[in-house]
Amino acid sequence: GLYHGAYQFYQPTWDGLANQAGRPDLVGVAPSQASAADQDALALLLWQQRGNQPWPHCGSHLPSSS
């Protein structure tokens, strides 16, 4: 499929977040191959930027990011 890892990242989204986080070592790495801590960190960054929007079903159980 198009989405990978614990948080079901789309590879271009993952790569962009890795760049923003100053983690060029993660660019091009499949999210499912990254450590759990790295997946958590990039998911938190994405949530801080977009709230629950990237996770339309599971995200309804998360608090608002604002």
Side-chain angles (χ1 to χ4, degrees), residues 28-65:
V29 173
S32 58
Q33 298 302 308
S35 72
D38 287 335
Q39 291 184 57
D40 290 348
L42 292 188
L44 177 59
L45 178 60
L46 182 59
W47 178 74
Q48 289 169 335
Q49 293 177 357
R50 298 191 198 169
N52 300 346
Q53 179 269 331
W55 303 281
H57 301 287
C58 298
S60 66
H61 302 284
L62 296 172
S64 172
S65 62

